[in-house]
Amino acid sequence: MQKPPVPELSETALFLDIDGTLVEHASHPDAVSVAPELADILGDLNQKLDGAVAFVTGRNLAMVDRLFGQLGLAAAGTFGIELMLGAERETGHEAAALVAPVFETLESKFAEVKGVYFEHKGPVLAIHTRAAPEALPAVIALCRETLPLLPDGYRLVEGHAGVEFLPEGATKSAAIAWFMTRPPFRERVPVFLGDDTSDEIGFEWTNQNGGVSVRVGPAKPTAAQHVLETVPDVHDWLKRLARAS
């Protein structure tokens, strides 16, 4: 699989996952570190693309703000449940109270397992096992048993370092599609970079809509058209994109 081309800036709408794409994965989501040059690269690109740069991430917007808030970029948080574009904001936490007891019961069953971290994001639950990879099979098994207890439309996304419970409509493809109906993204070519299972649906949407999809990481089956092997490779490609003007 080839590295992505450098598209024409004036025609590009750029969508970026964060963890594993812009920053290296860490054992705990709060432990990630942002490379000093990354903010400058993204700020430069956002200016040259007239604001058509957006984060599309499983992190909630509060966490995105802590990492990149100084840039003021558009963002889809919690897999598109939260959306921010200038003054326009959408949130979707109505289901949080309904599913909280199920999530809390599940978490209690792993309370004594070191390295398993539960991240509650409103109606979304992420269970991280990067610090305890041996626990992943047990986590997946119990999550599969738990899924029928959640409202209709919930799905379980099984990744290589954890799992996530997502409600209907919480997809990166829906988030990208939302941005593409609004200026400055509208009528541009979508370019989406991601690294994990939850990004595959975003790759598929991007492909179907004439865009450029890029998976970050070692070779594996993917819907993405192109690959960048490492986070530093992503930074280098973004710098090349910025210079293309």
Side-chain angles (χ1 to χ4, degrees):
M1 189 178 293
Q2 295 182 340
K3 292 184 178 181
V6 176
E8 171 60 46
L9 275 181
S10 63
E11 300 174 355
T12 298
L14 185 60
F15 301 100
L16 301 166
D17 175 45
I18 293 177
D19 295 273
T21 300
L22 293 177
V23 302
E24 302 285 2
H25 283 293
S27 58
H28 190 287
D30 291 340
V32 301
S33 113
V34 178
E37 67 173 356
L38 183 57
D40 290 338
I41 296 171
L42 295 176
D44 187 24
L45 275 171
N46 193 52
Q47 182 178 19
K48 290 177 177 177
L49 271 67
D50 298 321
V53 180
F55 299 114
V56 182
T57 176
R59 288 179 177 266
N60 61 34
L61 290 184
M63 297 181 76
V64 174
D65 192 57
R66 286 201 293 272
L67 292 173
F68 298 106
Q70 76 275 22
L71 297 175
L73 270 61
T78 321
F79 301 94
I81 291 176
E82 300 177 286
L83 294 159
M84 178 178 65
L85 177 57
E88 188 174 5
R89 277 180 176 258
E90 292 189 11
T91 62
H93 295 302
E94 295 82 2
L98 182 63
V99 298
V102 179
F103 289 164
E104 289 167 3
T105 298
L106 181 62
E107 182 173 12
S108 69
K109 295 180 180 180
F110 289 95
E112 304 301 321
V113 181
K114 187 176 180 181
V116 177
Y117 168 63
F118 280 67
E119 184 182 4
H120 296 265
K121 299 182 283 188
V124 171
L125 177 67
I127 308 173
H128 303 276
T129 62
R130 192 170 299 276
E134 69 284 352
L136 181 59
V139 169
I140 290 174
L142 195 53
C143 286
R144 288 175 178 174
E145 294 178 11
T146 301
L147 185 59
L149 303 178
L150 294 169
D152 290 344
Y154 260 84
R155 68 191 188 280
L156 180 66
V157 178
E158 301 174 7
H160 56 265
V163 300
E164 287 169 302
F165 286 103
L166 300 174
E168 188 174 16
T171 65
K172 293 193 175 183
S173 57
I176 295 170
W178 184 89
F179 283 117
M180 290 297 293
T181 64
R182 290 161 168 79
F185 299 90
R186 188 166 54 208
E187 299 181 358
R188 288 173 174 253
V189 177
V191 178
F192 175 47
L193 280 67
D195 77 304
D196 208 349
T197 306
S198 60
D199 297 307
E200 291 294 328
I201 192 169
F203 298 150
E204 292 169 1
W205 188 95
T206 301
N207 296 343
Q208 292 165 4
N209 288 273
V212 178
S213 56
V214 185
R215 183 185 178 276
V216 181
K220 65 175 288 188
T222 178
Q225 305 159 333
H226 306 279
V227 65
L228 290 167
E229 293 186 356
T230 68
V231 169
D233 287 341
V234 172
H235 295 182
D236 289 343
W237 184 83
L238 293 174
K239 284 188 283 189
R240 288 174 54 214
L241 180 60
R243 290 197 298 268
S245 63

